[in-house]
């Protein structure tokens, strides 16, 4: 049996602008965020900072628990 080759597909360019030019143009014409969107972003950042502070506090509390200290001592001793 002779192997049949697939017909060649030629795509014609639909634009004269390169991707780099297109994205550069998009960045230049980028609209600033509306005030309510900026406020939303700031609120999310504040929530993340608050969560980070809570996580640090929880980690400190865990370090001082006797059961955690015992587990850490076992792990350091190479018994795990």
């Amino acid at each position: 049996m002779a192997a049949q080759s697939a017909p060649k597909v030629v795509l014609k360019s639909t634009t004269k602008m390169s991707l780099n030019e297109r994205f550069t143009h998009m960045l230049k014409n980028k609209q600033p965020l509306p005030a309510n969107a900026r406020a939303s972003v700031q609120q999310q950042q504040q929530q993340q900072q608050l969560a980070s502070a809570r996580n640090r506090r929880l980690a400190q509390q865990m370090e001082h628990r006797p059961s955690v200290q015992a587990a850490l001592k076992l792990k350091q001793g190479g018994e795990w």
Side-chain angles (χ1 to χ4, degrees):
M1 273 194 180
Q4 292 181 347
S5 61
K8 217 179 222 184
V9 178
V10 178
L11 299 176
K12 293 183 180 180
S13 177
T14 58
T15 180
K16 303 275 185 200
M17 188 183 290
S18 71
L19 280 177
N20 185 41
E21 291 170 330
R22 189 175 307 162
F23 283 107
T24 301
H25 180 69
M26 285 172 49
L27 285 174
K28 285 182 181 176
N29 295 331
K30 185 178 176 184
Q31 299 294 324
L33 285 176
N36 60 350
R38 261 185 262 131
S40 175
V41 169
Q42 288 175 343
Q43 184 180 13
Q44 287 176 348
Q45 289 173 343
Q46 289 172 348
Q47 289 173 346
Q48 287 175 344
Q49 289 172 349
L50 180 61
S52 293
R54 287 178 179 161
N55 286 338
R56 282 191 295 274
R57 231 176 293 130
L58 178 61
Q60 287 175 341
Q61 289 173 358
M62 292 294 287
E63 285 178 3
H64 297 295
R65 289 186 180 180
S67 59
V68 173
Q69 288 178 348
L72 288 173
K73 284 180 186 176
L74 283 175
K75 185 175 180 184
Q76 287 173 355
E79 295 182 28
W80 275 25

